[in-house]
Amino acid sequence: MIQERVEQTRHEQWTHQPVFFDPAKPGDKDAMLALVRQDPQIKVYDELLGQLRELAKIQHPARPLTPAESDAAIARLLDGTAPEDYGRWVYYPWAGKLVHILGKEAFIALRTARNMHKIKAEEREQLGSKKIGIIGLSVGQAIAVTMAMERIGGELRLADFDTVELSNMNRLRTSLFNLGMPKVILAAREIAELDPYLEVKVFTDGITEGNIDAFLTEGGKLDILVEECDGVDVKILSRKRAKALQIPVVMDTNDRGMLDIERYDLHPDYPLLHGLIPDIADLSTLKHLTNEEKIPILGPMAGIAHMSPRMKYSLGEVGKSITTWPQLASSVMLGGAMVADTCRRILLGDLRSSGRYYVDFDELIQ
């Protein structure tokens, strides 16, 4: 089975799932060694002893361990197991790298150790049971990666039909050799390289009438939906479905630090996007609108009356001097932080409000 999985990933152009090898399981170690023998280009990274030393350190926080005490603590953790057979080996087929890491529980405890006590151990466990969906992986990439870094959610579902273009790289953190890659795959790979134990599901066709129910409910209903797409039809469709399923929705709009929270879980009758979404019965009429045609509908939804002067001017230039509305990396990173923080507070029961909020640097820092 493990060999079949390795062979499958070799032939999947846009694979995003790493392959785990557990030396304690019959056949896994032999399959891993065979993989390395068959492909001498695979780079092996084994920093397990450093991870064990750090794990021993966080388990004895009262004082620094002496070198002898640290070695003894590592020996207790290994408990007779050879270092090369301890924990897991993770193969990243897209990068040709094989990495030695701790087992799941120890890995999570160590990787999140510096979150304590801003995120308590019991809160970490609570967050690890949650499912979060993110639609739109430009701004959404910063959100997804920030959530993964804090380990907000144990399962992330990512949806976007678009690929990486050079003009995206004013705000999308990636490398030139990833041009043409689906944005969801880019985000999923980055998360896997950060924390392979996080479950990530990708929807490379974006969100459609045909797959939205699977996105929201398959494998368990989402606990939060983060909506960051450009399509007006999907913005409305996703909210209608989320409201029907009582899933809260969070959105960052990337201008003046504007953040929207819709708590359909607490208030099932709460109006779509605070009542700013027009009553459009046939959403198919919105599918192929130009950016110019979107603006009259998106205007109220995006708070055009309260936009920054530069953003208002830019909207008037769409189709004239620019092809679409601008987004800055600093705003995208701020959005990633705001949405991740908001979702964490919602999931832990610390934030229960709906509404539109601003973190406007022009107003806060003068």
Side-chain angles (χ1 to χ4, degrees), residues 227-228 235 239 249-253 258-260 273:
E227 188 278 296
E228 298 293 342
K235 282 185 176 295
R239 281 174 170 79
V249 179
V250 178
M251 178 179 71
D252 162 68
T253 307
M258 191 175 85
L259 180 78
D260 287 288
L273 197 58

Side-chain angles (χ1 to χ4, degrees), residues 251-327:
M251 178 179 71
D252 162 68
T253 307
N254 207 235
D255 182 63
R256 292 187 61 216
M258 191 175 85
L259 180 78
D260 287 288
I261 305 172
E262 300 157 75
R263 297 302 303 270
Y264 303 121
D265 54 328
L266 299 179
H267 308 288
D269 294 329
Y270 193 80
L272 299 180
L273 197 58
H274 329 301
L276 298 173
I277 286 180
D279 185 14
I280 300 174
D282 185 4
L283 297 182
S284 65
T285 61
L286 305 175
K287 283 184 181 294
H288 304 294
L289 296 181
T290 66
N291 286 332
E292 289 178 286
E293 292 169 334
K294 289 179 184 178
I295 289 173
I297 302 171
L298 275 176
M301 296 168 62
I304 193 169
H306 303 288
M307 282 182 176
S308 65
R310 293 194 182 210
M311 191 63 169
K312 284 183 182 178
Y313 177 80
S314 297
L315 290 181
E317 288 296 304
V318 172
K320 300 175 183 176
S321 62
I322 55 177
T323 59
T324 187
W325 43 79
Q327 295 176 302

Side-chain angles (χ1 to χ4, degrees), residues 69-83:
E69 289 172 330
S70 181
D71 289 343
I74 291 173
R76 287 192 296 273
L77 289 167
L78 289 171
D79 192 27
T81 302

